[in-house]
Amino acid sequence: MHDPDPGSGQEPAEPDEGSAAAARKAWPPGGRPTTAALALAVAFVAAGAGVYALASSGGGSSDAKPLAAKGPTTVEVSPGACGKGWSSAAPGPQVFALSNTSSSAAEVDLTDPATGAVYGEVEGLAPGTTREMRVVLGGGSYAFKCLPDDADAVTGPTVKIAGASTGSGPAAVPVTQHDLIPVAISYQQWIAAKTVELTDRTDELKRAIDDGDLASARDAWLPAHLVYERMGAAYDAFGDADAAINGAGPAPSEAASAKDFEGFHRVEYGLWHGESAASLRGPADRLSQAVHALRDSWPQERLDPAQLGLRAHEILEATAQSELTGRTDYGSGTNLATARANLDGTRELLTLLRPLLTSRYPDLPRLDAWLDRTQHTLDGFGAGGHWTPLDRLGRQDRQRVNSDVGQAVELLAPVATICDARRTA
């Protein structure tokens, strides 16, 4: 029995398995989600236009017929005539043909001039080109903002639409680099503390192997590995250290003959495939050296604030691709423990981003509920430091894990979009 949605008093709706599966196929392994993938959780992406709406709170009927869009209305994009061509509109779907008549590329936002909230955006509109923006507008005031490359932003005339404001599509006030810097500093400090814990845990693992106590080494391996797995949003800043500590390595079936196989997974393979302590001392020593080097070098590293929202989404995305497929199981059978640690890492970053998300992401309570549900599901497969291996899950349990993580991944996609740092001036 799943925990109910604390925000609604009832259990969260079941995820759309089709859209979740399509999204996972669209995401490149270990890389930034494609625009097509983000479109499954964001309001829409206009084909070929690079236009997207910000996070939607949902609530519409899935079988409702879409209203016909009005337009296209040609709108000029230039420092001297930003927004020229649009002077009135009725509520409902709109299509704008944005025409860049200037000599430089520009970003174009459709905004609420009072709050700065963005309803639609086109990036990289080249000189002499026209692209469409599709939005849904209710009653209210709107203005185009043109942000030319290497020049100040220009806001066009305000257009007022009569009617109820509830008819508008999703919008959010832009997050800027300045907004994200305090988040990056706090997260950097949190990672610094984790590198110390990681070093201590890895040293315990190494000592057990050095002493020839492989039973103790197997007990020490998972706690050390999970510390690293909770640090997922910083992996990109770790550089070569990430590969040395936790590189994916070869396919498990090819690990016995693989060369240059290092890190936690190399030690895992040896511990659960009958290797001697003597054969594992070298891999354990190199792992320890890499961990110590990371701890010592981390104070000089700097996180990119603009990447934090994306990382919040990618941690569980990678979990779905690697841990829930068994791709990274080299014998310990602890993929579900790793997934649980990844969930902890996601929540740590969301805690720091929450002040920016609370007023911008209406579905944040629903995301929280699904993360709670996913945690409850995963916790059901671990007790006393022992975890059910993936290949021992029944079909129903396997589907439940995949479903919960998949829905959480979809609800995290708008976090990446909302926290993508934008220009406002």
Side-chain angles (χ1 to χ4, degrees), residues 183-263:
V183 178
I185 292 172
S186 295
Y187 191 68
Q188 180 115 13
Q189 294 169 343
W190 185 80
I191 290 291
K194 285 296 175 185
T195 63
V196 175
E197 182 183 358
L198 176 66
T199 303
D200 292 343
R201 293 284 193 175
T202 306
D203 285 347
E204 292 176 15
L205 170 63
K206 181 179 181 300
R207 280 194 298 271
I209 292 174
D210 287 344
D211 292 343
D213 186 351
L214 296 185
S216 294
R218 282 189 286 271
D219 289 340
W221 182 86
L222 183 59
H225 184 235
L226 295 185
V227 174
Y228 191 80
E229 289 289 346
R230 294 186 182 100
M231 300 159 63
Y235 289 170
D236 191 55
F238 291 165
D240 293 340
D242 181 42
I245 295 171
N246 204 44
S253 61
E254 301 171 357
S257 59
K259 300 184 183 302
D260 301 321
F261 181 22
E262 298 289 355

Side-chain angles (χ1 to χ4, degrees), residues 103-155:
S103 58
S104 64
E107 176 184 319
V108 189
D109 295 344
L110 180 60
T111 70
D112 178 334
T115 66
V118 176
Y119 288 86
E121 178 183 76
V122 169
E123 295 179 312
L125 182 61
T129 62
T130 299
R131 283 156 60 187
E132 286 188 350
M133 173 188 288
R134 296 174 178 268
V135 292
V136 178
L137 302 180
S141 297
Y142 305 91
F144 280 99
K145 178 180 284 188
C146 303
L147 300 99
D149 289 356
D150 303 318
D152 292 340
V154 177
T155 301

Side-chain angles (χ1 to χ4, degrees), residues 250-309:
S253 61
E254 301 171 357
S257 59
K259 300 184 183 302
D260 301 321
F261 181 22
E262 298 289 355
F264 274 114
H265 291 304
R266 170 64 185 90
V267 176
E268 175 190 9
Y269 183 83
L271 287 173
W272 275 272
H273 285 85
E275 289 192 26
S276 67
S279 70
L280 283 172
R281 287 185 182 117
D285 184 60
R286 290 188 291 275
L287 170 62
S288 178
Q289 289 178 26
V291 167
H292 278 258
L294 175 62
R295 180 200 63 186
D296 295 343
S297 66
W298 183 247
Q300 286 74 51
E301 299 297 332
R302 291 295 177 267
L303 287 168
D304 181 358
Q307 296 293 308
L308 295 177

Side-chain angles (χ1 to χ4, degrees), residues 51-183:
V51 183
Y52 58 84
L54 298 177
S56 172
S57 62
S61 172
S62 60
D63 58 357
K65 293 182 179 179
L67 296 175
K70 299 173 175 61
T73 300
T74 300
V75 177
E76 186 173 344
V77 176
S78 70
C82 179
K84 182 180 179 181
W86 186 44
S87 58
S88 64
Q94 316 284 331
V95 180
F96 298 103
L98 305 178
S99 179
N100 188 349
T101 60
S102 72
S103 58
S104 64
E107 176 184 319
V108 189
D109 295 344
L110 180 60
T111 70
D112 178 334
T115 66
V118 176
Y119 288 86
E121 178 183 76
V122 169
E123 295 179 312
L125 182 61
T129 62
T130 299
R131 283 156 60 187
E132 286 188 350
M133 173 188 288
R134 296 174 178 268
V135 292
V136 178
L137 302 180
S141 297
Y142 305 91
F144 280 99
K145 178 180 284 188
C146 303
L147 300 99
D149 289 356
D150 303 318
D152 292 340
V154 177
T155 301
T158 297
V159 174
K160 295 183 179 181
I161 298 178
S165 60
T166 54
S168 296
V173 176
V175 170
T176 67
Q177 187 90 350
H178 180 75
D179 294 328
L180 291 166
I181 288 174
V183 178

